[in-house]
Amino acid sequence: MGYNITLIPGDGIGPEIVAEAVKVLEKVAKKYGHEFDFTKILMGGCSIDATGVPLTDEALATAKASDAVLLGAVGGKVGNSKWYDVAPNLRPEAGLLKIRKGLELFANIRPAYLYEELKGACPLKDEIIGDGFDMVIMRELTGGIYFGERHTEEVNGVLKATDMDTYDENEIRRIAVKAFEIAMKRGKKVISVDKANVLDTSRLWRKVVKEVAADYPEVTLEDMLVDNCAMQLVMNPRQFDVILTENMFGDILSDEASMITGSIGMLSSASLGATKLGLYEPSHGSAPDIAGKDIANPIATILSAAMMLRYSLDLDQEADAIEAAVKQVLKDGYRTVDIMSEDAGLKQVSCHEMGDLIAERI
Ligand code: IPM
Ligand code: MG
């Protein structure tokens, strides 16, 4: 079968890691008899340099017309790049927000689990890790403070900035349904995270999530305040199965969750909407410091490509093959520098070597 895939290499290490994912996808195509037709579009800083905006309408239309979108990363050094001191809608990150909104990708799925082989990289104590943890963060992605009205004004000589945080019940309901659906296929436990002791948006969140939960009697629902959740993630990560939360809390908690796995370079993510079209990207950023050095870890992007095959193209067997190849490479002792340790028998490899090694094992 033929599939149209939009590629967004983006900025920083983006182009290097996307190239390795394409290498692996091409091997999958060859082995399983598919044809992947790749179309590259510009987004982020590279698009600003070439077109003046972080994502053109034409590029968005290309993505919309494809079967799935695979993204590397966008943006430069925050606070210290030529793309920072410009209007908010002209920053690299605005391209990402525009594509999320434009493709109506309201559900961001970020798995965080501990790889047996990488236990040594986990910053938590052994008694906390136990036999490992495996959770999924379901982050609402097209609402809340990210998309509210924002402006900075001067009132009586004093600068004042405003960011509005708004949710309607339909936005909450559709992400809650996705979270419960995923929980049904996993550990049947949803922890919904909010700040209902302070925020109205959180009170509405709690109410609607409870209503949705009534349709899933097999799934247990627990509400947790976001500050407590931040603490629980490092104190008892094994209690989590599905974490359901709003846009901003999900942004913060997903970084925390990925860090306790010890290997942010390993974690993939999917952004989905009501149709099959999805956007797949590593959970990490563009890492401008190490761009172009061929030392980045391409595994998160390669695993994102596996999620793409599974969720957008319904190619489960092929997705399994990629995930198995990644596991095998780790078992065989190959590590990029970010996941390298002193353990005996490990071999440090570059970004492109890691891509080769995984492709060979498909
Ligand atoms: C993420 C990133 C983005 C976000 C930035 C780059 C706008 O941090 O995907 O988590 O905040 O959503
Ligand atoms: Mg983030």
Side-chain angles (χ1 to χ4, degrees):
M1 270 268 298
Y3 302 91
N4 288 317
I5 297 171
T6 301
L7 293 179
I8 309 181
D11 306 315
I13 57 171
E16 302 162 48
I17 54 184
V18 166
E20 298 316 310
V22 167
K23 191 186 277 176
V24 172
L25 284 170
E26 259 154 7
K27 182 69 188 289
V28 166
K30 198 164 154 204
K31 168 132 188 221
Y32 293 89
H34 302 299
E35 209 170 292
F36 296 132
D37 201 352
F38 298 107
T39 308
K40 275 191 195 167
I41 61 170
L42 293 176
M43 190 172 94
C46 57
S47 175
I48 296 174
D49 289 347
T51 70
V53 293
L55 179 70
T56 62
D57 291 340
E58 298 77 65
L60 178 61
T62 301
K64 215 176 222 169
S66 62
D67 294 308
V69 184
L70 184 65
L71 163 66
V74 295
K77 259 197 173 135
V78 173
N80 176 25
S81 89
K82 61 180 169 176
W83 303 316
Y84 185 72
D85 277 322
V86 295
N89 63 334
L90 293 179
R91 292 181 194 147
E93 292 77 8
L96 188 55
L97 300 190
K98 179 172 170 178
I99 200 169
R100 286 173 180 170
K101 197 75 170 177
L103 303 183
E104 292 177 82
L105 305 172
F106 60 84
N108 184 215
I109 307 179
R110 297 190 166 178
Y113 50 90
L114 197 65
Y115 275 83
E116 184 59 35
E117 291 83 3
L118 301 180
K119 245 180 168 171
C122 175
L124 302 178
K125 287 189 184 142
D126 280 347
E127 62 257 37
I128 293 178
I129 304 171
D131 56 0
F133 50 85
D134 177 354
M135 68 185 95
V136 162
I137 300 194
M138 286 290 295
R139 168 190 178 193
E140 199 291 326
L141 202 60
T142 50
I145 202 165
Y146 272 65
F147 292 93
E149 201 263 315
R150 74 179 88 260
H151 65 269
T152 305
E153 62 196 319
E154 199 176 308
V155 182
N156 299 330
V158 178
L159 282 175
K160 184 174 159 187
T162 304
D163 298 280
M164 290 285 281
D165 188 10
T166 307
Y167 269 106
D168 72 38
E169 57 178 308
N170 297 330
E171 290 174 309
I172 301 170
R173 193 164 290 114
R174 63 185 185 179
I175 182 77
V177 167
K178 285 248 188 222
F180 279 88
E181 291 291 334
I182 286 206
M184 284 296 288
K185 295 191 192 151
R186 296 176 41 98
K188 300 199 167 99
K189 181 175 175 192
V190 171
I191 293 187
S192 173
V193 175
D194 61 42
K195 188 70 185 171
N197 51 349
V198 178
L199 304 176
D200 263 40
T201 46
S202 285
R203 284 171 185 251
L204 182 61
W205 184 275
R206 226 175 239 221
K207 177 177 178 298
V208 175
V209 170
K210 196 160 279 156
E211 287 165 13
V212 171
D215 294 333
Y216 299 86
E218 282 178 58
V219 179
T220 47
L221 167 67
E222 195 182 310
D223 294 308
M224 192 178 275
L225 294 173
V226 62
D227 46 353
N228 184 29
C229 182
M231 187 172 80
Q232 295 294 334
L233 274 170
V234 290
M235 235 172 59
N236 180 13
R238 282 183 296 160
Q239 71 187 291
F240 296 103
D241 175 29
V242 175
I243 294 180
L244 163 62
T245 193
E246 59 105 83
N247 205 343
M248 172 90 129
F249 299 158
D251 177 44
I252 299 166
L253 294 175
S254 62
D255 266 28
E256 188 188 2
S258 63
M259 201 53 234
I260 59 170
T261 70
S263 47
I264 192 167
M266 302 287 300
L267 298 174
S268 54
S269 83
S271 301
L272 306 173
T275 68
K276 278 273 164 201
L277 174 60
L279 171 79
Y280 301 84
E281 58 177 311
S283 285
H284 59 72
S286 61
D289 296 352
I290 59 164
K293 295 189 174 154
D294 197 22
I295 59 171
N297 184 349
I299 293 181
T301 315
I302 291 169
L303 290 173
S304 299
M307 280 184 110
M308 173 179 87
L309 298 183
R310 196 182 301 286
Y311 291 117
S312 283
L313 310 184
D314 284 324
L315 299 175
D316 284 329
Q317 196 191 353
E318 291 80 346
D320 290 345
I322 293 181
E323 287 163 4
V326 168
K327 282 221 170 83
Q328 192 56 49
V329 154
L330 295 175
K331 222 174 244 149
D332 294 342
Y334 296 104
R335 302 283 188 273
T336 42
V337 62
D338 57 307
I339 50 172
M340 187 64 188
S341 70
E342 306 281 75
D343 296 351
L346 296 185
K347 286 155 281 206
Q348 191 170 315
V349 296
S350 66
C351 177
H352 87 269
E353 285 167 335
M354 185 55 99
D356 289 341
L357 290 160
I358 294 169
E360 270 166 28
R361 283 162 179 75
I362 298 287

